[in-house]
Amino acid sequence: MRIAILGAGAIGPASAALAVSRGHDAVLWSPSGAGTRGLDGALHAEGVLEGAFPVAVATTLDDAFAGADAALLAVPTYALPALLPRIAAAIPRALPLLIAPAAS
C-alpha cells in the first residue's frame, strides 16, 4: 500500500517510518517544504523503531496523491483552516483521508 502522509512535523515522519517498517510505501509532503528539506530519501529512526526507512518526498499535493491508496493528514489543528481547502481541491475523490487527532 502506498500512503501519502501530509505533514512533516513530529507525527508525519514517525508515521512514515512505521508504515515503511510494516512493508508499505510512504510519501511525505510538507505544507511549507521545511519539514522535508534535507531528507536524503530515508528517515533514520532511533528508539522503539530503529533503522533507516526509505521515504519519498513530494513537493506538491498532486505528487503526494499520485498512486496513493490512502492519505494521512498529520498537522497541528491551527494549520487545518489553511490546508483543508488546498487538500480538498487536490485529493482524488475515492482516496481515503485519515486525520490524525490534534496533539497526537
Side-chain angles (χ1 to χ4, degrees):
M1 175 182 281
R2 182 175 171 91
I3 304 169
I5 300 176
L6 314 177
I11 302 303
S15 298
L18 180 62
V20 171
S21 77
R22 301 301 190 259
H24 302 289
D25 293 324
V27 59
L28 192 59
W29 175 79
S30 169
S32 69
T36 54
R37 194 170 298 128
L39 280 181
D40 61 358
L43 292 169
H44 301 274
E46 296 177 0
V48 174
L49 190 62
E50 299 233 1
F53 302 94
V55 174
V57 172
T59 56
T60 68
L61 280 169
D62 288 335
D63 289 343
F65 293 141
D69 299 298
L72 171 66
L73 179 57
V75 298
T77 303
Y78 69 81
L80 293 177
L83 285 178
L84 287 177
R86 289 175 62 190
I87 293 167
I91 194 168
R93 227 178 242 287
L95 188 68
L97 176 63
L98 307 167
I99 301 175
S104 58

